[in-house]
Amino acid sequence: MDLQLKDRTVIVTGASSGVGLATARYLLGEGARVAACARDMQRLSAAFEEFTFADPDQILLGTCDVTDKSKTDAFVALTNDRFGGIDGLVCNAGRSLMATLDETSEEQFREEFELKIFGAWNMVRSARGELARSGQGSIVNVNAILSRQPETRLAATSAARAALLNLTHSLSADLAPEGTRVNSVLLGLIDTGQWRRRFEVANTTQSYEEWSAEIALDRGIGMGRFGTAEEVAYHIVTMLSPLSGFTTGASVDVGGGVGRYI
Ligand code: NDP
């Protein structure tokens, strides 16, 4: 099936690793132009070296801290100069803070909201005009099942995720008249850099596979494993496609059955 993404321009934030990198790979494979950003340019460039199949003219790499609106404005302007418009935006940059409320300082709590809410909100405000000019703009906010099903060890992250899901619904209503759709993917536990880093400091004699399968069991993931970044990227790319043109304000769970809500 042709997803009709050829020659469309999509910004992907947090593209140097995990879900963002897998999304960029799929988009490039579909012939889209990808404007990819993260804070560490060296890591971003090294990650994109694997994309030898893509035409270098399809790719724009840049540094951008999404918590700073002047940086998101600058990256959007750069993208527009290079590709002459923007059709899609994937707000993916993020990390999580594993701590109960008692263990979370006020500063950490604010940082979670800065990254999870303002990180997306800044990019949306910066790119809104270009997405409207596209006439078929599509925004995908990468969020978590935690937004609907909070966990005590992820208290601040859960609160920030719930706020992002709520904001996504408001955005979908406000931007629909401009022809821009806004949707979410809600992640469960996905095997990316985040989990590899946690494994490295876990001080265990288990293999990564044994360690992650134990966590999957403990968290009640029906499928008994972590998901892959590609299993998330697939949904992001289909939501970006004009073939999903009547879908806005929607969310899809990618959690292997961990979501317990109706
Ligand atoms: P990774 O840790 O693999 O990658 C995170 C990316 O975000 C990196 O490219 C990082 O690059 C970038 N980033 C972090 N902070 C900023 C910032 N302030 N500005 C710009 N870029 C930033 O993450 P995942 O692929 O695992 O996660 C992707 C998204 O999914 C995140 O929002 C995450 O919170 C969410 N999620 C992930 C889950 C999982 O189990 N993996 C579960 C639920 C949600 P750099 O550091 O160079 O900026």
Side-chain angles (χ1 to χ4, degrees):
M1 182 186 282
D2 176 7
L3 292 177
Q4 299 177 10
L5 288 165
K6 187 164 167 36
D7 295 334
R8 286 177 190 268
T9 297
V10 181
I11 291 180
V12 182
T13 73
S16 60
S17 160
V19 171
L21 187 64
T23 302
R25 185 184 307 119
Y26 278 4
L27 286 169
L28 291 170
E30 290 295 315
R33 301 175 182 126
V34 174
C37 68
R39 291 166 304 175
D40 183 337
M41 186 64 183
Q42 217 175 345
R43 197 156 76 107
L44 182 65
S45 302
F48 269 65
E49 276 173 16
E50 71 168 91
F51 299 143
T52 48
F53 64 88
D55 178 346
D57 288 345
Q58 279 178 269
I59 301 172
L60 169 68
L61 303 182
T63 47
C64 178
D65 182 340
V66 294
T67 63
D68 182 340
K69 173 78 164 37
S70 67
K71 302 271 170 49
T72 59
D73 282 346
F75 189 68
V76 165
L78 190 69
T79 304
N80 204 27
D81 284 351
R82 168 78 180 270
F83 294 132
I86 298 167
D87 307 288
L89 168 63
V90 183
C91 296
N92 166 73
R95 50 134 215 277
S96 69
L97 173 68
M98 281 209 141
T100 63
L101 275 179
D102 283 343
E103 293 159 356
T104 308
S105 68
E106 184 173 329
E107 194 189 348
Q108 286 173 314
F109 207 100
R110 286 183 194 281
E111 281 171 5
E112 278 300 280
F113 274 75
E114 281 290 332
L115 182 57
K116 306 282 161 45
I117 294 295
F118 284 93
W121 177 227
N122 289 338
M123 257 303 174
V124 169
R125 284 183 296 161
S126 299
R128 178 179 179 173
E130 290 310 323
L131 289 164
R133 266 183 282 285
S134 153
Q136 288 185 312
S138 175
I139 298 170
V140 180
N141 288 332
V142 178
N143 201 334
I145 286 174
L146 292 175
S147 60
R148 293 208 164 112
Q149 187 170 282
E151 287 186 27
T152 52
R153 280 171 297 173
L154 288 153
T157 298
S158 297
R161 288 307 192 186
L164 177 62
L165 185 60
N166 196 290
L167 176 68
T168 303
H169 279 263
S170 298
L171 284 169
S172 70
D174 284 0
L175 303 193
E178 300 172 8
T180 300
R181 299 178 293 106
V182 193
N183 294 293
S184 308
V185 281
L186 306 184
L187 279 54
L189 273 53
I190 306 299
D191 178 8
T192 63
Q194 294 198 23
W195 285 100
R196 297 283 164 169
R197 287 192 292 276
R198 280 178 199 147
F199 174 67
E200 275 161 27
V201 295
N203 198 18
T204 171
T205 53
Q206 292 174 308
S207 67
Y208 178 79
E209 286 67 30
E210 291 164 340
W211 177 82
S212 58
E214 202 171 276
I215 295 174
L217 189 69
D218 177 55
R219 298 286 181 92
I221 299 176
M223 300 197 75
R225 64 171 176 89
F226 287 8
T228 66
E230 288 71 23
E231 286 167 325
V232 182
Y234 166 77
H235 290 286
I236 296 174
V237 169
T238 53
M239 281 174 167
L240 288 169
S241 164
L243 298 185
S244 298
F246 204 49
T247 301
T248 192
S251 59
V252 60
D253 280 17
V254 190
V258 77
R260 291 285 182 270
Y261 36 75
I262 305 295

Coordinates of all heavy atoms in Angstrom, one line a residue, residues 10-15 19-20 23 37 66 72 88-94 115-125 127 131 138-143 161 164 167-168 171 182-185 187 236 240:
V10 N 8.3 15.8 7.2 CA 7.9 15.5 8.5 C 9.0 15.9 9.5 O 10.2 15.5 9.3 CB 7.5 14.0 8.7 CG1 7.1 13.8 10.1 CG2 6.5 13.6 7.7
I11 N 8.7 16.6 10.6 CA 9.7 16.9 11.6 C 9.5 15.8 12.7 O 8.4 15.5 13.1 CB 9.4 18.3 12.3 CG1 9.7 19.4 11.3 CG2 10.2 18.4 13.6 CD1 9.5 20.8 11.9
V12 N 10.6 15.2 13.1 CA 10.6 14.2 14.2 C 11.5 14.7 15.3 O 12.7 14.9 15.1 CB 11.1 12.8 13.7 CG1 11.1 11.8 14.8 CG2 10.3 12.4 12.4
T13 N 11.0 14.9 16.5 CA 11.8 15.3 17.6 C 12.3 14.1 18.4 O 11.7 13.1 18.3 CB 11.1 16.3 18.6 OG1 10.1 15.5 19.3 CG2 10.4 17.4 17.8
G14 N 13.5 14.2 19.0 CA 14.0 13.1 19.7 C 14.3 11.9 18.8 O 14.1 10.8 19.0
A15 N 15.0 12.3 17.6 CA 15.1 11.3 16.5 C 16.4 10.5 16.6 O 16.7 9.7 15.7 CB 15.0 12.0 15.2
V19 N 12.2 5.2 19.4 CA 11.0 5.4 18.6 C 11.2 6.5 17.6 O 10.8 6.3 16.4 CB 9.8 5.8 19.6 CG1 8.6 6.3 18.8 CG2 9.5 4.7 20.5
G20 N 11.9 7.6 17.9 CA 12.1 8.6 16.9 C 13.0 8.2 15.8 O 12.7 8.5 14.6
T23 N 11.0 5.8 13.6 CA 10.0 6.6 12.8 C 10.7 7.2 11.6 O 10.2 7.2 10.4 CB 9.3 7.6 13.7 OG1 8.7 7.0 14.8 CG2 8.3 8.4 12.9
C37 N 15.6 16.1 14.8 CA 16.3 16.9 15.8 C 16.5 16.1 17.1 O 15.7 15.2 17.4 CB 15.7 18.3 16.1 SG 14.1 18.2 16.9
V66 N 13.6 21.0 22.8 CA 12.2 21.3 22.5 C 11.6 22.0 23.7 O 10.5 22.6 23.6 CB 11.4 20.0 22.2 CG1 11.8 19.4 20.9 CG2 11.4 19.0 23.4
T72 N 12.7 25.8 19.0 CA 11.7 25.2 18.1 C 11.4 26.1 16.9 O 11.3 25.6 15.8 CB 10.5 24.7 18.9 OG1 9.8 25.8 19.5 CG2 10.8 23.7 19.9
G88 N 4.1 17.3 8.4 CA 3.9 16.4 9.6 C 4.8 16.8 10.7 O 5.9 17.3 10.5
L89 N 4.4 16.5 11.9 CA 5.2 16.7 13.1 C 5.0 15.6 14.1 O 3.9 15.2 14.4 CB 4.7 18.0 13.8 CG 5.2 18.3 15.2 CD1 6.7 18.5 15.2 CD2 4.5 19.6 15.7
V90 N 6.1 15.0 14.5 CA 6.1 13.9 15.5 C 6.7 14.4 16.8 O 8.0 14.6 16.8 CB 6.8 12.6 15.0 CG1 6.7 11.5 16.0 CG2 6.2 12.2 13.7
C91 N 5.9 14.7 17.8 CA 6.4 15.2 19.1 C 6.8 14.0 19.9 O 5.9 13.4 20.6 CB 5.4 16.1 19.8 SG 5.0 17.6 18.9
N92 N 8.1 13.6 19.8 CA 8.5 12.3 20.4 C 9.5 12.5 21.6 O 9.7 11.7 22.4 CB 9.1 11.5 19.3 CG 9.8 10.3 19.9 OD1 9.3 9.3 20.4 ND2 11.2 10.3 19.8
A93 N 10.3 13.7 21.6 CA 11.4 13.8 22.5 C 10.9 13.6 23.9 O 9.8 14.1 24.3 CB 11.9 15.3 22.4
G94 N 11.6 12.9 24.7 CA 11.2 12.6 26.1 C 12.1 11.7 26.8 O 13.1 11.1 26.3
L115 N 9.2 19.3 29.8 CA 9.5 18.4 28.7 C 8.3 17.8 28.0 O 8.1 17.8 26.8 CB 10.5 17.3 29.2 CG 10.9 16.3 28.1 CD1 11.7 17.0 27.0 CD2 11.9 15.2 28.8
K116 N 7.4 17.3 28.8 CA 6.2 16.6 28.3 C 5.2 17.5 27.7 O 4.5 17.1 26.7 CB 5.6 15.6 29.3 CG 6.6 14.7 30.0 CD 6.9 13.5 29.1 CE 8.1 12.7 29.4 NZ 8.4 12.4 30.8
I117 N 4.9 18.6 28.4 CA 3.9 19.5 27.9 C 4.5 20.6 27.0 O 4.1 20.7 25.8 CB 3.1 20.2 29.0 CG1 2.4 19.2 29.8 CG2 2.2 21.3 28.5 CD1 1.3 18.5 29.0
F118 N 5.4 21.4 27.5 CA 6.0 22.5 26.7 C 6.8 21.9 25.5 O 6.9 22.6 24.4 CB 6.8 23.4 27.5 CG 5.9 24.3 28.3 CD1 5.5 24.0 29.6 CD2 5.4 25.5 27.8 CE1 4.7 24.8 30.4 CE2 4.5 26.3 28.5 CZ 4.1 25.9 29.8
G119 N 7.4 20.8 25.7 CA 8.2 20.2 24.6 C 7.3 20.0 23.3 O 7.7 20.3 22.2
A120 N 6.1 19.5 23.5 CA 5.1 19.3 22.4 C 4.5 20.7 22.0 O 4.4 21.0 20.9 CB 4.0 18.3 22.8
W121 N 4.1 21.4 23.0 CA 3.3 22.7 22.8 C 4.2 23.7 22.1 O 3.7 24.4 21.2 CB 2.9 23.2 24.2 CG 2.2 24.5 24.3 CD1 2.5 25.5 25.2 CD2 1.1 25.0 23.6 NE1 1.6 26.5 25.1 CE2 0.7 26.2 24.1 CE3 0.3 24.4 22.6 CZ2 -0.3 27.0 23.6 CZ3 -0.8 25.2 22.1 CH2 -1.1 26.4 22.5
N122 N 5.5 23.8 22.4 CA 6.4 24.7 21.7 C 6.5 24.3 20.2 O 6.3 25.2 19.3 CB 7.8 24.6 22.3 CG 7.9 25.2 23.6 OD1 7.1 26.1 24.0 ND2 8.9 24.9 24.4
M123 N 6.7 23.0 19.9 CA 6.8 22.6 18.5 C 5.5 22.8 17.8 O 5.6 23.3 16.6 CB 7.2 21.1 18.5 CG 8.6 20.8 18.2 SD 9.2 21.6 16.6 CE 10.9 21.2 16.7
V124 N 4.4 22.5 18.4 CA 3.1 22.7 17.7 C 2.9 24.2 17.4 O 2.5 24.5 16.2 CB 2.0 22.2 18.6 CG1 0.6 22.6 18.0 CG2 2.0 20.7 18.7
R125 N 3.2 25.1 18.3 CA 3.0 26.5 18.0 C 4.0 27.0 17.0 O 3.6 27.8 16.1 CB 3.2 27.3 19.3 CG 2.0 27.3 20.3 CD 2.3 28.1 21.5 NE 3.4 27.7 22.3 CZ 4.0 28.4 23.1 NH1 3.7 29.7 23.3 NH2 5.0 27.9 23.8
A127 N 5.2 25.2 14.5 CA 5.0 24.6 13.1 C 3.5 24.8 12.7 O 3.2 24.5 11.5 CB 5.3 23.1 13.2
L131 N 2.0 23.8 8.9 CA 1.1 22.6 8.8 C -0.2 23.0 8.2 O -0.8 22.3 7.4 CB 0.9 22.0 10.2 CG 2.1 21.3 10.8 CD1 2.0 21.1 12.3 CD2 2.4 20.0 10.1
S138 N -0.5 16.9 9.8 CA -0.7 15.8 10.8 C 0.3 15.8 11.9 O 1.5 15.9 11.6 CB -0.7 14.4 10.1 OG -0.8 13.4 11.0
I139 N -0.2 15.9 13.1 CA 0.7 15.9 14.3 C 0.5 14.6 15.1 O -0.7 14.2 15.3 CB 0.3 17.1 15.2 CG1 0.6 18.4 14.5 CG2 1.2 17.0 16.5 CD1 0.0 19.6 15.3
V140 N 1.5 13.9 15.4 CA 1.4 12.7 16.3 C 2.2 13.0 17.6 O 3.4 13.3 17.5 CB 1.9 11.4 15.6 CG1 1.8 10.3 16.6 CG2 1.2 11.2 14.3
N141 N 1.5 13.0 18.7 CA 2.2 13.1 20.0 C 2.5 11.8 20.6 O 1.5 11.0 20.8 CB 1.3 13.9 21.0 CG 1.2 15.4 20.6 OD1 2.2 15.9 20.0 ND2 0.2 16.1 20.9
V142 N 3.7 11.5 20.8 CA 4.1 10.2 21.4 C 3.9 10.3 22.9 O 4.5 11.1 23.6 CB 5.6 9.9 21.0 CG1 6.0 8.5 21.7 CG2 5.7 9.8 19.5
N143 N 3.0 9.5 23.4 CA 2.6 9.6 24.8 C 2.7 8.2 25.4 O 3.3 7.3 24.8 CB 1.2 10.2 24.9 CG 0.9 10.9 26.2 OD1 1.4 10.5 27.3 ND2 0.0 11.8 26.2
R161 N 1.9 13.1 31.5 CA 1.4 12.4 30.4 C -0.1 12.6 30.3 O -0.7 12.7 29.2 CB 1.7 10.9 30.5 CG 3.1 10.6 30.3 CD 3.6 11.1 29.0 NE 4.9 10.6 28.6 CZ 5.5 11.0 27.5 NH1 5.0 12.0 26.8 NH2 6.7 10.6 27.2
L164 N -0.7 15.9 28.7 CA -0.5 15.9 27.3 C -1.6 15.3 26.5 O -2.0 15.8 25.4 CB 0.9 15.2 27.0 CG 1.2 15.1 25.5 CD1 1.4 16.5 24.9 CD2 2.5 14.3 25.3
L167 N -4.3 17.8 26.4 CA -3.9 18.9 25.4 C -4.1 18.5 24.0 O -4.5 19.2 23.1 CB -2.5 19.3 25.7 CG -1.9 20.4 24.8 CD1 -2.6 21.7 25.0 CD2 -0.4 20.5 25.0
T168 N -3.8 17.2 23.7 CA -3.9 16.7 22.4 C -5.3 16.7 21.9 O -5.6 17.0 20.7 CB -3.3 15.2 22.3 OG1 -2.0 15.2 22.8 CG2 -3.3 14.6 20.9
L171 N -6.1 20.3 21.1 CA -5.5 20.7 19.8 C -6.2 20.1 18.6 O -6.4 20.8 17.6 CB -4.0 20.2 19.8 CG -3.0 21.0 20.6 CD1 -1.7 20.2 20.7 CD2 -2.8 22.4 20.0
V182 N -4.6 15.9 14.8 CA -3.7 15.7 16.0 C -4.1 14.4 16.7 O -5.2 14.2 17.2 CB -3.8 16.9 16.9 CG1 -2.6 16.8 17.9 CG2 -3.8 18.2 16.2
N183 N -3.1 13.4 16.7 CA -3.4 12.1 17.3 C -2.3 11.7 18.3 O -1.2 12.4 18.3 CB -3.6 11.1 16.2 CG -4.8 11.4 15.4 OD1 -5.9 11.3 15.8 ND2 -4.6 11.7 14.1
S184 N -2.5 10.6 19.0 CA -1.5 10.2 20.0 C -1.2 8.7 19.8 O -2.2 7.9 19.4 CB -2.1 10.2 21.4 OG -2.6 11.5 21.8
V185 N 0.0 8.3 20.1 CA 0.2 6.9 20.3 C 0.6 6.8 21.8 O 1.3 7.6 22.3 CB 1.4 6.3 19.5 CG1 1.0 6.0 18.0 CG2 2.6 7.2 19.5
L187 N 2.2 4.5 24.6 CA 3.2 3.4 24.7 C 3.1 2.7 26.0 O 2.9 3.4 27.1 CB 4.6 4.0 24.5 CG 5.2 4.2 23.1 CD1 4.3 5.2 22.3 CD2 6.6 4.8 23.2
I236 N 2.7 5.5 14.1 CA 3.0 6.9 13.9 C 2.9 7.2 12.4 O 2.3 8.2 12.0 CB 4.4 7.3 14.5 CG1 4.4 7.1 16.0 CG2 4.8 8.7 14.1 CD1 5.8 7.3 16.6
L240 N 0.4 9.7 10.2 CA 0.9 10.8 9.4 C 0.3 10.7 8.0 O 0.2 11.8 7.3 CB 2.4 10.8 9.4 CG 3.1 11.1 10.6 CD1 4.6 10.8 10.5 CD2 3.0 12.6 11.0

